[in-house]
Amino acid sequence: MDFKKILLAVDESENAMRAVDYVGRIVSDGTSFQVQLLCIERLPHRDLYPDEDTWKKACEVARSDMKAFMNKARDRLVKLDVPDSAISEQYVTSCISPFTDTAPKCSRGTSVAHEILEALKAGGFGTVVVGRRGVSKAEEFLFGSVSNKIIHSAKDCTVWVVS
Amino acid sequence: MPSVKELVKQYQPDLHVRDYGRVVVDTSEFMSIDSGDVIAIDGKHYLVFRDAVERGFTYTDTKYWVKKCKELETGDAKLLKLVFHESFYLEYGCVKIKCFRSPRKEARMLDLVHGDTRFMQGHSARDSAGNQVRIIDIIQGKRIDQVVANIPTDHETYFHDHYPAILDRFIGACEAIAYLHDKGERHGDINLDHLMKEHATGAYRWIDFDYAYEAYANPFALDLFGLGRILACITGKWLYSPQTLLELEIKADISQLDNEDFSCVHKNEIMNLKKLFPYIPTRLNNVLLHFSEKSEVFYDTAWEFTEELRTCQDPDQ
């Protein structure tokens, strides 16, 4: 397990940016760290819109926001002296989208945590980092908690939860 | 186009209708569609009797977009759900969830469960304005909480004599929800009034699939929690709070209850039913405790929940 190979899972939330900030500060003085920014795309659900056109427009906005966040996160890491060459990005598109994506792998959206762990295993990462919202038990039950699921399910790696 | 009088005379001559009903082909203005009107859609004619009404203990909610009808060609009772795009906050216990009423979700679900009697049956059709109207077969039956509450016996007799068969049917209903999840769909509004026991067959059938909400990290959790709450209701013969225990004169020592015995979402509902009814097996009670404030681990899937319930049917456990 190479704990210096870090998978940093982000969405477009403030908690994710806190995690980015934390990773940047921890690894900035090290030379052998590698950081991969991972974003599992979560598009708005089609049933929330009266027709396909409105849904597609909402998805375009959501995708654009998430990609802008990835750029912002990368800039932040660089600003914190993480070498640009040590940063990579992985954007996993949603399987249920109005776009015609051709990526070999897509997100089913049923468990973001498991998809993060799959990426962890596939990429041979030794550390996974996620932000945490801080939710009540009821909210955790009903809406799910990515960080808790990762804590419970991760094996052979280090888990950093930034709250 | 024939008038309402002419249509009724042709198909249901024994019916009496008022003189001023109209034939509606565009259902967009559903508030103005009234008793005695006929909705013409997809080559069929539906005589409107009244708006559907949802009744709770403390409220009566008229659903102006849902019309109780008779299909004139067949004489069958039908429910026509007209297009009403609505978003609102559902207060689910202590949590607020932004919900959307989605005609196209329900239409898609009706196609998915066509011929599967674990669910209400129906189909969708477009009116002249392109509105996706859902035409639903009416289930003659009773909601599940009323079924168990109306069994005229004390809890212990109910639990030993009636509950095993009820649990078995409920597990079947849970497997129906697991099937939906396998297909990437959610019921969306699993509640006591949306699981019906059909009078004629005794079958448990799910109704009303038009709620949609944002997916979050755990898209099936709301369905799962609904199942847990129904399990508490059928196991207890009612959903109990300290107040209802008093009202129903259930002999239980309320002082024995602590915070961890209550639902983590509906904070006044008791999930640790073993404290009320000590003969409830521990294994079954443990399933209920997954939905309590005490729980640290939740069910990930409806299958996981149903499989654990199946083990509770084993009399040796």
Side-chain angles (χ1 to χ4, degrees):
Chain A
M1 179 176 83
D2 182 1
F3 70 89
K4 287 190 169 183
K5 201 173 171 192
I6 297 170
L7 183 66
L8 173 51
V10 296
D11 53 19
E12 70 278 29
S13 68
E14 284 178 21
N15 313 301
M17 192 48 89
R18 271 204 299 276
V20 170
D21 220 52
Y22 180 81
V23 169
R25 286 171 199 281
I26 289 284
V27 308
S28 60
D29 56 352
T31 52
S32 53
F33 284 101
Q34 281 179 278
V35 181
Q36 181 165 99
L37 286 160
L38 169 72
C39 181
I40 308 286
E41 184 175 72
R42 278 164 42 177
L43 296 175
H45 201 284
R46 73 189 326 153
D47 290 336
L48 312 188
Y49 299 89
D51 53 61
E52 293 291 291
D53 280 349
T54 336
W55 176 51
K56 188 174 181 183
K57 278 176 193 152
C59 289
E60 281 166 357
V61 171
R63 179 172 282 188
S64 161
D65 286 351
M66 281 183 266
K67 292 205 162 171
F69 186 93
M70 293 277 275
N71 291 335
K72 206 172 143 190
R74 187 183 192 108
D75 290 347
R76 182 66 186 149
L77 289 173
V78 171
K79 201 175 174 186
L80 289 166
D81 293 331
V82 180
D84 195 52
S85 58
I87 306 168
S88 60
E89 291 175 28
Q90 188 184 169
Y91 186 86
V92 180
T93 54
S94 169
C95 303
I96 308 158
S97 89
F99 312 117
T100 45
D101 296 313
T102 52
K105 193 167 172 53
C106 60
S107 162
R108 288 188 65 228
T110 48
S111 176
V112 173
H114 286 141
E115 284 167 344
I116 291 171
L117 292 174
E118 276 174 24
L120 180 92
K121 195 174 170 189
F125 295 94
T127 301
V128 58
V129 189
V130 287
R132 183 184 172 88
R133 299 180 273 161
V135 294
S136 68
K137 181 166 281 201
E139 286 169 323
E140 186 186 328
F141 192 115
L142 296 177
F143 305 143
S145 166
V146 173
S147 56
N148 265 14
K149 270 196 183 172
I150 286 178
I151 291 167
H152 280 116
S153 311
K155 283 179 189 164
D156 303 325
C157 68
T158 308
V159 181
W160 294 352
V161 177
V162 183
S163 60
Chain B
M1 183 188 296
S3 68
V4 168
K5 279 269 185 194
E6 287 164 340
L7 285 166
V8 171
K9 191 177 172 187
Q10 180 184 350
Y11 293 113
Q12 302 286 333
D14 296 337
L15 271 181
H16 174 73
V17 286
R18 62 195 178 115
D19 291 329
Y20 44 88
R22 59 200 175 99
V23 179
V24 180
V25 293
D26 174 356
T27 61
S28 304
E29 301 296 325
F30 56 77
M31 293 287 283
S32 67
I33 301 173
D34 212 346
S35 167
D37 291 340
V38 165
I39 298 172
I41 187 167
D42 202 26
K44 294 280 175 63
H45 300 88
Y46 301 91
L47 176 66
V48 177
F49 287 141
R50 60 183 177 276
D51 296 324
V53 176
E54 189 173 287
R55 288 191 174 83
F57 293 110
T58 54
Y59 67 94
T60 301
D61 188 12
T62 303
K63 295 179 167 182
Y64 297 102
W65 67 97
V66 183
K67 309 291 180 185
K68 284 199 165 178
C69 300
K70 182 188 278 287
E71 187 177 297
L72 289 177
E73 283 79 358
T74 60
D76 293 340
K78 298 283 181 186
L79 216 54
L80 261 63
K81 297 177 88 170
L82 309 180
V83 169
F84 177 37
H85 289 292
E86 179 190 27
S87 71
F88 53 93
Y89 280 94
L90 175 73
E91 289 202 22
Y92 196 77
C94 60
V95 178
K96 272 189 177 180
I97 299 164
K98 190 168 190 188
C99 278
F100 300 80
R101 202 177 284 287
S102 172
R104 63 182 188 147
K105 180 209 169 198
E106 191 161 60
R108 194 177 65 237
M109 294 271 288
L110 286 170
D111 287 343
L112 176 66
V113 302
H114 179 73
D116 186 339
T117 54
R118 298 175 299 178
F119 301 93
M120 73 178 186
Q121 294 292 295
H123 68 283
S124 68
R126 302 262 177 194
D127 70 7
S128 68
N131 294 306
Q132 198 165 24
V133 176
R134 286 134 293 145
I135 299 149
I136 310 283
D137 299 344
I138 292 177
I139 295 172
Q140 301 295 343
K142 198 176 268 187
R143 44 187 276 180
I144 189 68
D145 54 336
Q146 291 174 0
V147 169
V148 295
N150 290 346
I151 294 173
T153 182
D154 64 279
H155 185 272
E156 188 162 5
T157 310
Y158 161 81
F159 189 75
H160 293 303
D161 295 353
H162 299 267
Y163 180 72
I166 290 168
L167 178 63
D168 192 54
R169 289 204 157 161
F170 175 65
I171 293 172
C174 294
E175 287 168 348
I177 296 300
Y179 163 78
L180 289 185
H181 293 179
D182 283 348
K183 298 288 180 187
E185 297 285 3
R186 294 173 282 186
H187 179 287
D189 192 14
I190 291 186
N191 225 322
L192 298 167
D193 57 345
H194 289 155
L195 181 59
M196 307 288 287
K197 182 183 180 187
E198 190 172 42
H199 289 319
T201 62
Y204 285 14
R205 304 183 64 184
W206 294 106
I207 63 168
D208 285 3
F209 324 128
D210 59 344
Y211 274 21
Y213 46 87
E214 201 46 272
Y216 305 105
N218 198 359
F220 304 119
L222 197 61
D223 275 3
L224 257 170
F225 202 87
L227 295 179
R229 193 160 180 251
I230 296 177
L231 177 67
C233 179
I234 62 168
T235 307
K237 207 171 176 286
W238 196 247
L239 279 172
Y240 297 105
S241 65
Q243 190 179 343
T244 55
L245 285 176
L246 293 172
E247 287 167 0
L248 296 169
E249 297 177 352
I250 304 285
K251 287 175 190 163
D253 185 358
I254 296 174
S255 66
Q256 290 287 308
L257 294 169
D258 54 47
N259 191 40
E260 293 191 333
D261 297 323
F262 289 82
S263 161
C264 66
V265 175
H266 299 85
K267 300 285 188 186
N268 64 340
E269 289 177 4
I270 301 163
M271 297 306 280
N272 191 352
L273 293 181
K274 198 170 176 65
K275 282 198 175 175
L276 307 181
F277 312 112
Y279 41 84
I280 289 179
T282 301
R283 184 181 283 256
L284 174 61
N285 201 54
N286 283 345
V287 177
L288 290 167
L289 290 179
H290 274 86
F291 301 90
S292 74
E293 195 64 42
K294 185 180 185 178
S295 178
E296 290 298 328
V297 182
F298 304 132
Y299 290 109
D300 270 338
T301 65
W303 284 120
E304 194 184 354
F305 174 68
T306 53
E307 279 159 18
E308 205 151 302
L309 272 183
R310 282 275 177 226
T311 67
C312 299
Q313 291 183 295
D314 183 348
D316 295 330
Q317 295 295 330

